[in-house]
Amino acid sequence: MMLVIAGGWALDPAQGLDGPADVVAEDGIITRVGKDAARDIEPGPGVQVVNAEGMRVLPGLVDMHVHLREPGQEYKETIATGTRAAAVGGFTAVCCMANTIPVNDNAAVTKFILDRAAAEGAVRVYPAAAATRGQKGAELADFGDLAAAGARAVSDDGHPVSDAGMMRRVLEYAADFGLAVLSHPEDLPLANGGSMNEGALSTRMGLPGIPAAAEAAMVARDILLAQLTGLPLHLCHVSCFQSVEMIRLAKERGVPVTAETAPHYFSLTEDAVAGYNTNAKMNPPLRAEKDREAVCQGLADGTIDAIASDHAPHSILEKDLEFDQAAFGIVGLETSLSLSLALVRRGVLTLKQLVLAMSTNPARILGLDPPALAPGAPADVTVVDPDAQWVVDPEAFFSKGRNTPFAGMTLQGRAACTVVGGRVVHGG
Amino acid sequence: MAFFRKDLLDIESLSSEEVENILDTAAGMKEISFRPIKKVPTLRGKTVILLFHEPSTRTKMSFDVAAKRLSADTHSIAKASSSFTKGETLVDTARNLEAMRPDAIVIRHSSSGAPYLLAGRLSASIINAGDGTHAHPTQALLDMFTVREKKGKLAGLSIAIIGDITHSRVARSDICGFTKMGATVTVCGPGTMIPPGVEALGAKRVRRVEEAVQGADVVMMLRIQKERQKGSLIPSEREYARVYGLNPERAALAAPDVLIMHPGPINRGVEISPEVADGPYSIILDQVTNGVAVRMALLYLLVGGRGE
């Protein structure tokens, strides 16, 4: 089986590739990349052609932070629907968090997820297992078993590992198995059960606030632990300027930390919560304009390594409620690329930087070979139509989740075709 | 002046002209409560539901009395006896109530913003009778009405609000309302009970009660809202009473004709000493009387013109 992506503009910074190029894959592996590389290929049975004229052809995008909800909350999302949403959003791989029911803190759950992904998944699925048993922060999970079963990372995401001594042991033990450690930085007593960003707006709305310091205090602690141990630590969903400043300083000092942010933190501010919009409620919360700007700046200068959606599907059972009763989290897989492309159009990022933040860097942080437009690499490719205008309609999402603050917005640019292992899983 | 709103959710979205209109209407309504026959047919055939998701004596009774004096039928639902305790969501409860075609739903709820959830979904008028720590617009209106009645004006007055501002929906609505009408508002309370960005609401914040009270035309004392606080915000009620309570010495720092107010319920001996609460400048019970008039005015303005 041969796949030809013809006539596009290929971009892969790691290969020094930035120009018109066809991409040819045979049996799931890229065999040729270059201008007119597909010219002498005869169409016919066994040859699938994707017309990429006017498109950007990128290494497959990786969303390193999603919640697929299976097992346990299949009414919110399944591995099948979540990975289909990923494919439509342009992602060829996702890393799914461990806060399923039961928690992915043992090899049986990890294996279940990978089996479901193999059977029904549209894209590659890399599970993050729990850092501590039951995500309770008290005992290490069985990292040896989990790594052997196929986990790529450990994280108690959704909860912080509050005990600094325990977090140190997580770093030390995870390194024995090459597992990435993903931290959910939140000081719980400081967050104090709040439901939106703390500030004048939370005061006016009468909602308990979550101060930026609740995130930044834990970012500071995590940086010190990475420095202490010399071991890599990845900070999830960075949302405030204090975190960006500290991560920048830590990197200057050679501390092995990496960081991600989510599209909502560079696209929206806390104003989106007005009217008690529960579809703008997530943790960490949408912050102030100066935080939004700092997140953009952090992406632009490489302080923030990755863009990850923190795709968190919920049903109306969790969202059609009083604001303080509603669940945290929004869906993101189907809007992430478009919102990130807006940064490119605004001149905040180059398209090269976007590829680094949405493909190369997240793969590296997870210890994966980064997707590459190079002979010999698996044919994981995202074809982007940079001009496509579309209106966000939650009812049209492939995810089961409808909880997005971007409903009704007109976005520009989206995935025209997604290829995983030489197989077209979206568009084409 | 016509009043074109469907709902009363907060003070913020009202113009000063609308506030004036409500207060003027309430002035006309007040007299009805002093007649031998305290009933007019204005809202005959209208249905008002009192949906109280939190305990309330004063506000619930006040709305009930107000609606009945206008001849509306009232039905009240309390949390303990309703489907709330059977796991029904607020939205589902509201949809069921809507199916009974009420003209107005008066809602009190422990979650900030809950009335907005209903206002966007139901065709009945929604009146916010207190939502979480967000707003209590009818209390602010009756406070403004009471002060205006006693002082003849609101503009230029100096109002001190003292106590747990963080957890007080009354404080938020009063700050918004009094400043909208041209008064200045100073707040004071323990540092743990002043919300971040309180100045953005339009209030000045001072650290010492004496400074807040100095020369004030109105001093409003708030209750410590134990039910809304998480964790320890003050070391003891004893220390609170000593440092932040309104006693006769502190009250004497205010303007000679100061009005002492309290939205209730009062914790005597904590935020206010009995001498002050029962003293000549206390208008705490006038607030209660006027509450009925203001709520009559609102029901009339919101429901009176509907369907005619």
Side-chain angles (χ1 to χ4, degrees):
Chain A
M1 183 68 195
M2 183 180 276
L3 175 72
V4 175
I5 302 169
W9 182 287
L11 182 74
D12 182 353
Q15 316 305 320
L17 185 64
D18 187 5
D22 302 331
V23 176
V24 181
E26 289 166 74
D27 299 326
I29 303 294
I30 293 174
T31 50
R32 278 182 266 174
V33 178
K35 193 162 191 295
D36 301 327
R39 189 193 301 184
D40 54 353
I41 295 172
E42 296 290 329
V47 179
Q48 186 178 5
V49 179
V50 172
N51 179 2
E53 274 175 49
M55 312 274 178
R56 297 284 182 272
V57 181
L58 311 178
L61 304 182
V62 178
D63 191 334
M64 67 179 298
H65 192 135
V66 305
H67 298 268
L68 296 181
R69 306 297 189 205
E70 189 178 356
Q73 293 180 304
E74 291 81 359
Y75 70 99
K76 295 185 182 186
E77 192 80 290
T78 64
I79 288 166
T81 57
T83 56
R84 174 113 305 274
V88 171
F91 295 96
T92 59
V94 296
C95 176
C96 59
M97 294 298 133
N99 58 343
T100 47
I101 302 172
V103 170
N104 180 15
D105 65 354
N106 63 80
V109 177
T110 302
K111 189 168 179 311
F112 171 84
I113 292 168
L114 288 170
D115 287 348
R116 298 292 284 181
E120 300 184 348
V123 306
R124 299 180 198 275
V125 174
Y126 299 104
T132 66
R133 198 159 282 145
Q135 296 192 311
K136 293 189 188 307
E139 302 169 277
L140 289 172
D142 299 304
F143 292 175
D145 290 355
L146 291 161
R152 304 301 311 200
V154 291
S155 178
D156 279 355
D157 183 68
H159 316 275
V161 177
S162 291
D163 182 313
M166 175 54 71
M167 191 61 170
R168 173 188 184 164
R169 292 193 285 280
V170 168
L171 288 169
E172 289 170 340
Y173 192 53
D176 289 353
F177 305 97
L179 291 165
V181 176
L182 317 177
S183 171
H184 167 115
E186 182 182 9
D187 182 301
L188 292 177
L190 205 44
N192 197 28
S195 54
M196 69 172 288
N197 186 43
E198 178 175 306
L201 185 61
S202 67
T203 291
R204 201 160 80 226
M205 293 180 72
L207 290 170
I210 304 172
E215 172 183 313
M218 204 56 116
V219 166
R221 183 206 76 172
D222 282 343
I223 288 169
L224 293 170
L225 291 176
Q227 188 175 43
L228 172 69
T229 59
L231 295 169
L233 183 152
H234 177 76
L235 294 157
C236 296
H237 39 62
V238 164
S239 71
C240 64
F241 81 89
Q242 297 95 326
S243 298
V244 176
E245 284 179 355
M246 284 191 290
I247 295 163
R248 185 177 290 126
L249 184 64
K251 287 187 163 188
E252 283 168 13
R253 302 276 166 91
V255 180
V257 289
T258 53
E260 75 191 29
T261 191
H264 36 279
Y265 300 121
F266 59 70
S267 304
L268 299 174
T269 66
E270 59 186 347
D271 293 343
V273 175
Y276 301 92
N277 177 9
T278 59
N279 284 332
K281 180 181 178 182
M282 76 289 288
N283 187 20
L286 295 170
R287 305 285 189 189
E289 175 61 15
K290 68 176 184 301
D291 298 298
R292 196 193 64 77
E293 287 168 8
V295 167
C296 288
Q297 184 55 40
L299 279 168
D301 68 16
T303 299
I304 299 175
D305 303 84
I307 297 170
S309 70
D310 197 1
H311 179 77
H314 289 294
S315 81
I316 59 163
L317 296 175
E318 290 83 25
K319 283 295 194 182
D320 204 10
L321 293 175
E322 301 87 321
F323 195 88
D324 57 351
Q325 306 292 314
F328 289 105
I330 63 169
V331 290
L333 277 166
E334 293 170 74
T335 50
S336 182
L337 173 60
S338 300
L339 294 165
S340 302
L341 285 167
L343 290 186
V344 175
R345 272 199 317 286
R346 295 211 314 265
V348 175
L349 293 183
T350 63
L351 192 58
K352 268 184 200 172
Q353 286 177 301
L354 180 140
V355 171
L356 291 173
M358 299 189 79
S359 175
T360 317
N361 293 343
R364 284 218 173 97
I365 292 164
L366 293 171
L368 306 168
D369 290 330
L373 299 180
D380 289 6
V381 184
T382 302
V383 180
V384 174
D385 179 348
D387 301 318
Q389 299 248 357
W390 64 290
V391 177
V392 179
D393 173 11
E395 294 307 316
F397 281 165
F398 286 79
S399 167
K400 287 190 181 182
R402 303 282 178 265
N403 47 313
T404 175
F406 300 106
M409 283 190 195
T410 301
L411 301 180
Q412 189 183 333
R414 70 190 304 186
C417 176
T418 308
V419 176
V420 178
R423 198 164 52 90
V424 174
V425 295
H426 162 64
Chain B
M1 177 185 156
F3 194 79
F4 292 113
R5 290 177 181 275
K6 173 171 108 55
D7 311 303
L8 179 75
L9 302 177
D10 52 46
I11 295 290
E12 216 172 339
S13 56
L14 296 177
S15 68
S16 56
E17 291 77 20
E18 285 174 299
V19 172
E20 290 280 2
N21 182 20
I22 295 166
L23 302 187
D24 291 346
T25 307
M29 293 289 176
K30 184 170 179 179
E31 169 268 329
I32 295 168
S33 294
F34 291 87
R35 295 180 189 172
I37 306 295
K38 303 180 186 63
K39 206 175 185 86
V40 293
T42 315
L43 295 187
R44 194 167 58 197
K46 302 288 186 184
T47 304
V48 176
I49 292 179
L50 308 175
L51 179 59
F52 275 60
H53 188 269
E54 264 192 341
S56 163
T57 309
R58 209 174 340 268
T59 304
K60 187 173 170 185
M61 185 62 79
S62 180
F63 269 109
D64 199 19
V65 168
K68 284 179 172 143
R69 286 193 180 155
L70 294 173
S71 301
D73 297 313
T74 66
H75 307 274
S76 111
I77 303 168
K79 185 178 185 180
S81 62
S82 73
S83 297
F84 285 134
T85 52
K86 299 176 191 166
E88 187 170 73
T89 66
L90 177 61
V91 171
D92 281 330
T93 300
R95 284 193 185 120
N96 279 280
L97 295 178
E98 174 89 338
M100 300 174 200
R101 303 192 47 77
D103 298 283
I105 297 177
V106 177
I107 176 172
R108 164 162 295 191
H109 199 284
S110 56
S111 292
S112 298
Y116 296 74
L117 199 58
L118 303 193
R121 287 174 167 78
L122 307 188
S123 59
S125 286
I126 306 298
I127 300 177
N128 183 358
D131 63 327
T133 56
H134 170 240
H136 195 345
T138 61
Q139 179 73 41
L141 288 164
L142 76 88
D143 287 343
M144 288 188 273
F145 179 85
T146 306
V147 172
R148 196 181 76 160
E149 188 179 52
K150 302 283 177 190
K151 297 283 188 189
K153 61 171 185 177
L154 292 172
L157 296 180
S158 159
I159 319 279
I161 304 179
I162 292 160
D164 180 359
I165 309 295
T166 296
H167 298 93
S168 175
R169 53 195 175 208
V170 174
R172 280 175 180 74
S173 287
D174 270 332
I175 292 169
C176 185
F178 279 106
T179 55
K180 194 183 288 279
M181 303 312 288
T184 60
V185 177
T186 303
V187 298
C188 180
T192 50
M193 294 179 174
I194 303 293
V198 71
E199 294 84 0
L201 298 178
K204 181 184 167 203
R205 184 254 174 114
V206 298
R207 291 270 175 185
R208 293 184 61 247
V209 174
E210 290 78 5
E211 193 183 340
V213 171
Q214 188 71 46
D217 299 300
V218 175
V219 177
M220 184 178 305
M221 301 306 293
L222 302 175
R223 174 175 73 90
I224 303 173
Q225 306 227 359
K226 282 180 213 150
E227 72 275 22
R228 293 186 212 288
Q229 295 170 5
K230 282 186 197 149
S232 163
L233 299 183
I234 51 165
S236 66
E237 287 191 358
R238 180 196 56 76
E239 178 157 299
Y240 184 87
R242 189 176 67 74
V243 181
Y244 301 98
L246 189 66
N247 54 30
E249 296 74 46
R250 286 187 179 130
L253 298 172
D257 57 348
V258 65
L259 303 175
I260 308 290
M261 304 177 80
H262 194 302
I266 290 180
N267 294 312
R268 285 174 184 268
V270 183
E271 70 269 8
I272 190 162
S273 70
E275 306 94 291
V276 178
D278 302 330
Y281 303 113
S282 169
I283 54 168
I284 295 171
L285 296 177
D286 299 79
Q287 290 175 270
V288 179
T289 304
N290 290 335
V292 174
V294 165
R295 289 171 179 123
M296 287 169 76
L298 283 167
L299 287 167
Y300 166 70
L301 291 170
L302 290 168
V303 178
R306 284 164 69 95
E308 286 165 17

